[in-house]
Amino acid sequence: MKRQDPILYIEGLTTHFFSKTGVVKAVDGVSFSVSAGEIFGIVGESGSGKTLTGLSVLGLVPPPGKIIDGSIHLNGIDLTGMDASGLRRLRGMEMAMIFQDAMTALNPVLRVDTQVIEAIRAHRPMPRHQALKEAAAALAQVGIPAPEERLRAYPHQFSGGMRQRLAIALAMINSPGLIIADEPTTALDVTIQAQILSEVQKLSRSKGTAIVWITHDLTVVAGLADRIGVMYAGRLVETGTTDDVLDNPLHPYTRGLIGSIPSRTRRGLPLAQIPGSTPSLDNLPAGCAFIERCSRARTACRENPAMAETTPGHQVRCHFPGGELP
Ligand SMILES: Nc1ncnc2c1ncn2[C@@H]1O[C@H](COP(=O)(O)OP(=O)(O)O)[C@@H](O)[C@H]1O
Ligand code: SF4
Ligand SMILES: [Mg+2]
């Protein structure tokens, strides 16, 4: 495979929840791709469909949710046509997900070495002593000190930050081509978060891992991601390089997110807030989903805007993008 070929290629992904009370359009026509060694940040408010996008890729959408349209290609293979056992084989070996709660991936009653060795040998049969050596190296790689000793501990004997590093080491243990990280550092303090982000960035570069980093916090992906996708109400509304999106935000929602970040130059001034709240995904307004919160909204916005490229690689879903910043 050529290096620039995407590891992950998603086109029109649509994942809905069906219940008696209606349809929740959790993910509604999401398209993006991520190449080897690249970090793609997905940012958006809580409830915008970020987690469901990740779970869709891994084949872990909980019922009554269902992927109803679109395609997901991993290394050229369409995952949406794959059965449960095929997906299970790929998970852990070709793709892995890291969750906000590290304990999702860890068993509280088993020693860490048992768990890491099992994760290795589930996909790559090898003698225990060899797997143990790999396990220690993997812990060291994510900045866990005294890895041989820590391997003999239980997950609860790790601090929050160390436990999250452990979850990252576990996700990376078989060098999957793709890792989806769903807010794994959100609960950690800023210094530890920054250390972990920097380790992950190094690992992605050195191993060529494609990473999708999901967060509600634009400042997290600002320093981490190569490209950013801004998600709103189940759809991507802006994608581009991190520089494009941060320096020249085109969508009113992206501008709102940037305006609500505390900055040194605006110190003392009140932070801009995006008025209103996220619409409920089972009752979206007709047309642009941002219409009720947007200061630029006009009659044309009652028609749903399509994603359009403004400059190479920079796309926005808005009838009236750009213009002077408020
Ligand atoms: N099990 C479920 N049943 C019904 N709706 C769900 C379920 N899980 C998530 N949703 C809905 O899907 C939407 C997207 O959720 P999610 O992907 O978790 O958002 P985010 O990760 O951006 O906070 C939300 O509106 C949520 O209410
Ligand atoms: S399409 Fe209209 S309502 Fe939607 S974000 Fe753009 S200007 Fe605002
Ligand atoms: Mg989430």
Side-chain angles (χ1 to χ4, degrees), residues 47 50-52 182-183 214:
K50 307 181 298 296
T51 295
L52 257 306
D182 189 5
E183 314 226 21
I214 292 171

Side-chain angles (χ1 to χ4, degrees), residues 191-257:
T191 320
I192 292 173
Q193 180 164 311
Q195 283 167 4
I196 293 181
L197 295 184
S198 134
E199 306 276 359
V200 167
Q201 202 169 37
K202 267 191 268 170
L203 282 172
S204 156
R205 299 283 188 265
S206 67
K207 294 190 165 197
T209 317
I211 294 184
V212 177
W213 195 281
I214 292 171
T215 178
H216 66 278
D217 183 353
L218 191 58
T219 61
V220 164
V221 280
L224 176 76
D226 302 296
R227 284 187 302 124
I228 289 178
V230 179
M231 203 157 172
Y232 188 79
R235 299 179 186 135
L236 283 173
V237 296
E238 181 160 3
T239 60
T241 63
T242 302
D243 286 346
D244 275 349
V245 173
L246 296 182
D247 297 344
N248 184 26
L250 297 174
H251 197 283
Y253 177 62
T254 314
R255 291 166 170 234
L257 286 180

Side-chain angles (χ1 to χ4, degrees), residues 17 24-27 44-53 62-65 182-183 214 231 279-282:
F17 284 92
V24 178
K25 297 179 176 176
V27 182
E45 287 165 303
S46 168
S48 55
K50 307 181 298 296
T51 295
L52 257 306
T53 300
D182 189 5
E183 314 226 21
I214 292 171
M231 203 157 172
S280 163
L281 298 188
D282 58 0

Side-chain angles (χ1 to χ4, degrees), residues 68-105:
I68 55 160
D69 202 6
S71 62
I72 303 167
H73 284 87
L74 182 71
N75 292 319
I77 299 164
D78 188 358
L79 303 185
T80 48
M82 198 171 271
D83 63 11
S85 72
L87 285 164
R88 205 174 309 119
R89 259 197 309 280
L90 291 182
R91 282 197 297 270
M93 193 61 200
E94 307 284 345
M95 57 181 177
M97 190 149 169
I98 309 168
F99 296 90
Q100 182 169 350
D101 177 7
M103 289 313 289
T104 308

Side-chain angles (χ1 to χ4, degrees), residues 1-173:
M1 183 168 48
K2 294 198 299 289
R3 202 182 137 71
Q4 63 270 32
D5 282 345
I7 298 266
L8 177 68
Y9 183 83
I10 298 183
E11 186 66 41
L13 176 66
T14 306
T15 305
H16 291 176
F17 284 92
F18 297 89
S19 73
K20 285 196 200 86
T21 51
V23 180
V24 178
K25 297 179 176 176
V27 182
D28 209 22
V30 164
S31 306
F32 66 89
S33 63
V34 195
S35 302
E38 188 181 42
I39 303 180
F40 183 71
I42 298 184
V43 70
E45 287 165 303
S46 168
S48 55
K50 307 181 298 296
T51 295
L52 257 306
T53 300
L55 292 174
S56 298
V57 174
L58 275 280
L60 295 173
V61 176
K66 216 169 143 28
I67 298 177
I68 55 160
D69 202 6
S71 62
I72 303 167
H73 284 87
L74 182 71
N75 292 319
I77 299 164
D78 188 358
L79 303 185
T80 48
M82 198 171 271
D83 63 11
S85 72
L87 285 164
R88 205 174 309 119
R89 259 197 309 280
L90 291 182
R91 282 197 297 270
M93 193 61 200
E94 307 284 345
M95 57 181 177
M97 190 149 169
I98 309 168
F99 296 90
Q100 182 169 350
D101 177 7
M103 289 313 289
T104 308
L106 296 165
N107 186 331
V109 301
L110 290 181
R111 256 172 47 170
V112 169
D113 52 3
T114 310
Q115 302 186 49
V116 184
I117 289 169
E118 190 183 307
I120 296 173
R121 297 208 289 187
H123 295 281
R124 294 177 294 135
M126 67 175 75
R128 191 180 184 282
H129 68 89
Q130 195 183 332
L132 191 60
K133 233 164 118 182
E134 273 203 29
L139 263 60
Q141 214 162 25
V142 294
I144 298 177
E148 281 90 0
E149 191 184 310
R150 299 311 290 156
L151 275 169
R152 289 191 294 272
Y154 289 86
H156 70 84
Q157 293 171 303
F158 284 66
S159 67
M162 284 298 154
R163 208 179 297 145
Q164 208 46 271
R165 285 169 195 259
L166 188 56
I168 293 170
L170 207 54
M172 295 194 120
I173 196 77

